[in-house]
Each structure stands twice: as structure tokens, then as C-alpha cells.
Amino acid sequence: MASKFPTVLLESTDGVRPALHDMGGSGDPVLVCHATGFLGAVYAPMIQSLLEDFHVWTIDMRGHGDSVTPEGISMSWWGHTQDVLAAFDYIGSPVLGFGHSMGGAAITAACLKNPDAVRGAYLFEPIIFPAVGDAAATRRDSPIAEGARRRRATFESREAAFERYSSRPPLDGLNRQVLRLYVDEGFEDTEDGSVTLKCPPHIEAEVFMNSQIGIFEDLPTVEMPALVASGRAEPGPPMYAPGVAQELPHAQFHKDDALSHFGPFEDPALVGGRVRDFLSSLR
């Protein structure tokens, strides 16, 4: 099932063609970068809060959504960074950004590669953390990667997938419009009539395994203004956000105990309003 949003395939590295979706609106350009395992379309409910003030784009990075990704290439997050840089080039730098989880890391890494590409960004729990121990061992022992690898990839229908996801964690807490978009846009039809995830479990697992890209120590050199946001204090991504905000020289930090790591999907209007307010302050 192709995206219902106007889409162009870009040229990135490794033969990858990231999918860039034009979500509409008018004003300064904003690029929305997704979390691991998701895709740009699921941010549409959050983006509704931005369309009166900004022209919004979303990207499906390599291995995700409608991107065209050759078999066997590395899922290094530096590759996802190159996909984001390709989007910035197409839209026309400098661009405002919103990055969620991996997307926040990709925007920040893109700014390190090209400091003039990003005017400022709202980063929701970006996965950026200090180097810890043996990176290879960390990848091998990653429980979140192992959980992704065990995900069910195929359902008899989108409705069956929606019913399953809406009845069990972690996706049962998502806004229903967001979850419907994830099912409608995140699956592709197969010849036997079933549907399968566009981001296969083994690819999602490999992306998780490559999350340590070593940019934390370079954060003091990042000049873009940023708001680093997090949900409630829990093990994992929320633990990194305060440190990222502290290391970035032009950043502020916001914490919301009502949200989890899936905050933009749980309350898209709330998060969208905050993104709009921060990005508007940079104009």
C-alpha cells in the first residue's frame, strides 16, 4: 500500500532512496524524523498543529516505510543521517526539525556533518548517550533488539493487526488515529492477501543494535538551538535526554510525566503544540 501523502524518492548513500512525504502547510520548512520501527506518516496527527505556520515534510529513512533499501546494507545510524541530509538538500537548507528517538539522533548528527543545514530542532528523547564499554558487546546483548527480532511481521489483514496492537502493550497506549496510520501505512500487501510490516523485524533489530554512534562527546560543538523533551522518568531513553540538553550549548529541557517514550503518538495535539511554539520562537 503506497502512502496517501505526496511522495518523492531521494538519492542517498549505499543506493538507498529515502521516501520524502509532503504533509502540506505553508511557511518555513520543517522536517519530521521518525523513531526506529516507525515511519513518517504516523506523525500526521501531531503535524496538524504545525500546518498553519509551517510547511511540513516527513522522511522514511532506510529500512523503514516507503524507502527503497538495497538488501544487505548496514543499518548504521550514520546511514540514517545521510538520508536526513539528502532530505535537507531537497527541501533547501536551512530547515527546522523535529526528531523522535532515532530521528532526534539523526538530526543532531546531520547538524554535526553540516552545521548550516538545521536552524533549530525539537528533539523528543533523542537516542544520544555517552560511549559505554564494548560497543559490539552492547549490540549483541541488546534486549530491545532481541524483542524487535521476535515481533510478528505478518497478519491476515490490517484490521487483525490493529486489533492485536490496540489490545496489548506497548502500542495499546497510542492515540487511535496514530495507531490506524501505523497499520494502514506501515504494512504492505502480499500476494496471498495478508499484510506484512514494511520495516521487517530483523531490520528493526539491526537498527536498535547500531544505536551507539559516538556523537555525545561532540554535542558541545553543535550550534543549533534545540529543545530536548522527555516523558516520565523510566529506564532507557528518558535517562539520556537531560544529559543531551546539558551538553548542547543552545538547548533547553522539558519533562512531561504524563508521557512515555511514545509521547508524540500518545498525545499528538499536546506535543504538536509544544513543537509549534518552540519552532515559532526561532523564526
Side-chain angles (χ1 to χ4, degrees):
M1 180 177 180
S3 175
K4 65 181 181 180
F5 303 103
T7 301
V8 61
L9 293 176
L10 307 176
E11 298 286 346
S12 186
T13 56
D14 306 313
V16 173
R17 302 198 70 192
L20 184 67
H21 307 291
D22 187 343
M23 308 299 283
S26 60
D28 294 345
V30 175
L31 179 67
V32 171
C33 298
H34 61 78
T36 300
F38 290 91
L39 67 164
V42 295
Y43 295 88
M46 185 199 80
I47 288 167
Q48 286 297 314
S49 298
L50 307 179
L51 296 181
E52 288 190 8
D53 301 290
F54 302 99
H55 184 177
V56 184
W57 307 76
T58 64
I59 183 173
D60 296 343
M61 291 178 275
R62 60 188 61 200
H64 295 76
D66 293 324
S67 66
V68 177
T69 308
E71 291 287 340
I73 68 165
S74 168
M75 285 295 122
S76 164
W77 284 24
W78 284 114
H80 295 97
T81 300
Q82 293 295 333
D83 299 344
V84 170
L85 286 168
F88 288 155
D89 286 345
Y90 180 88
I91 296 168
S93 299
V95 177
L96 296 166
F98 169 85
H100 180 196
S101 193
M102 176 183 71
I107 287 177
T108 307
C111 191
L112 283 167
K113 290 284 188 180
N114 182 357
D116 297 325
V118 190
R119 285 178 51 199
Y122 190 108
L123 309 174
F124 193 95
E125 296 193 359
I127 307 301
I128 304 171
F129 51 90
V132 287
D134 181 352
T138 299
R139 291 196 293 269
R140 284 196 304 271
D141 300 334
S142 169
I144 193 168
E146 185 56 33
R149 197 173 286 112
R150 293 197 302 267
R151 286 192 67 188
R152 179 176 172 181
T154 302
F155 292 85
E156 55 269 28
S157 66
R158 284 181 174 79
E159 196 55 45
F162 182 85
E163 290 179 7
R164 179 180 177 89
Y165 290 148
S166 63
S167 64
R168 62 186 66 192
L171 301 187
D172 61 332
L174 270 56
N175 171 280
R176 284 300 179 262
Q177 186 182 3
V178 170
L179 184 57
R180 177 57 67 183
L181 281 165
Y182 176 62
V183 169
D184 287 349
E185 301 267 343
F187 282 81
E188 57 188 354
D189 301 309
T190 65
E191 291 183 359
D192 65 6
S194 62
V195 296
T196 190
L197 283 166
K198 290 180 178 178
C199 180
H202 73 279
I203 293 294
E204 183 178 359
E206 187 179 349
V207 174
F208 281 128
M209 289 169 63
N210 281 283
S211 60
Q212 189 166 316
I213 58 172
I215 66 171
F216 184 86
E217 289 71 23
D218 295 321
L219 292 180
T221 70
V222 175
E223 290 298 322
M224 71 174 183
L227 192 154
V228 181
S230 84
R232 55 185 168 267
E234 296 175 330
M239 299 169 57
Y240 313 139
V244 172
Q246 183 174 350
E247 292 298 313
L248 288 169
H250 307 292
Q252 53 188 285
F253 175 69
H254 176 80
K255 180 171 175 283
D256 192 327
D257 289 326
L259 303 175
S260 77
H261 185 58
F262 292 131
F265 303 147
E266 295 165 336
D267 197 335
L270 175 68
V271 176
R274 289 176 177 160
V275 175
R276 179 196 63 228
D277 292 346
F278 176 69
L279 297 184
S280 293
S281 73
L282 303 180
R283 294 190 298 180

